[in-house]
Amino acid sequence: MKVLARTPMNRFGDISKFNGAIQFLCSDAASFITGVFLPVDGVLLLLVGFKC
């Protein structure tokens, strides 16, 4: 697959990979967070770059 070859971790993630981020954002540990950009993308954003 061409897309898979371009992913930094050489694999696709599944819904279970979002679990930790979702649990954190729903927990009391995140009670002071009002907005955040939290990429759960297997390092892809680091390679392609992010422009605001």
Side-chain angles (χ1 to χ4, degrees):
M1 292 182 170
K2 291 181 182 182
V3 174
L4 186 59
R6 295 187 320 207
T7 59
M9 299 184 79
N10 294 320
R11 61 186 168 91
F12 291 119
D14 57 39
I15 195 69
S16 69
K17 303 305 179 202
F18 294 92
N19 236 0
I22 293 168
Q23 287 180 13
F24 168 69
L25 292 172
C26 292
S27 73
D28 287 339
S31 65
F32 202 66
I33 294 177
T34 57
V36 66
F37 180 72
L38 181 64
V40 183
D41 65 359
V43 194
L44 184 62
L45 184 65
L46 182 65
L47 294 182
V48 298
F50 177 73
K51 296 179 178 81
C52 293

